[in-house]
Amino acid sequence: MRCDRAGDGHAAARGDGRREFLRCAAGVAGVAAAGGLGGEAVAAGRPAAGRDGRRDLPDRVPFHGHHQAGVVTPQQLCAGFIGFDVLAEDRDGLVELFQKLTHRSRVLTGGVKPRDERVSSERPTPDSLTITLGVGASLFDDRYGLSGHKPRHLKAMPAFPDDRLEPSRCHGDLSLQICAEHPDAIVHVLRDLARETDGLLRPRWRANAFLNPSRPSGARRNLLGFKDGIVNPDTDSGREMDRLMWVTPPCGEPEWALGGCYQVLRLIRFHVEKWDKVPLRRQERIFGRHKASGAPLDGRHETDAPDYRHDPHGRIIPLDSHIRLANPRTHKTDDSRFLRRSYNYDEGFDHKGGMDLGLVFCGYQQDPERQFATVQRRLEHEPLSRFITPVGGGYFFVLPGVRDEDDWFGSHLLQKA
């Protein structure tokens, strides 16, 4: 299944773009300031650090670099994920859009409020803000002459067997991930970009997201009550990142893509009313972890590695448990690991009175087919699938970083294509 792009007539829709953008920004105001699915981050590496499960986060995250910020950056408390359709009429308009996005991102990450909106005595408040830009497969159609320059593995996210994808919540020409310590910073960014890119962008879907407080310590919990994101690849290891994350020359990608990576976004709804009727012991066997401590069922601490070799028949940790399917911890499955940077969402109630909450799954990797899709196929029809439903998201390619003051998002792609 491929969720269709928004209809044709980009030029005719330009007048509606800013109004829709501002409605998108207003929705983000409901984000709670307070992290992603059952503790197994499809990885085996360094555990989260600190009492609250987060590594040290600088007040100001550098904007310039070989890679974009917001990927290996320790998670901020609040996030906004938005998929956009591009309304630029031609290549020049697309260049203008990317340059504007770069300029405003550079200004905003330096202090959230631009100088013309602050009194002279007010200090900058960077709020650990990061703005991360990705491109979708649809940007590489025939509108801008980019069809021959698409990243090798970039395509519309397919529907997997347990998905119920809603077309209005899927895909996009661009993805924007905005993360900060407070929700008003995310709203401010969206308002600023709506003003500066008027007529060039139209929001397609968005998700407001947050991290739960760490209770009592260690990894944070998702809205099913289990600790999540306990382990991930070692982001401090250049060798590990070049093997699992960043696009490097051996990957065979276009030259302009070097230093980028693939982003998989999944909007996953939790059926909490049904889940809350499941006895605790059954919940723990579905996940493969103790709910209170986060430890695997054969361990005592959340950072303990499950010992599958001494439990070959799944008597302690079931063979179909989430953590065992997601990461079997074998040499053969090691290359399917990827970095997870997921958040919770809560959208209130649906029209039937059900609670609309769940997970904004965010995964970064070098090859979504080798990594995310391979893991997803292992998880098909797992016991947990009866309590969760993926409803949206998309595959995107995170552009290489902006190198310096003279560079801009997508410069190598748009100048050489």
Side-chain angles (χ1 to χ4, degrees), residues 5-13 202:
R5 282 176 40 82
D8 295 330
H10 288 291
R202 175 176 56 205

Side-chain angles (χ1 to χ4, degrees), residues 30-41:
V31 174
L37 192 44
E40 189 67 14

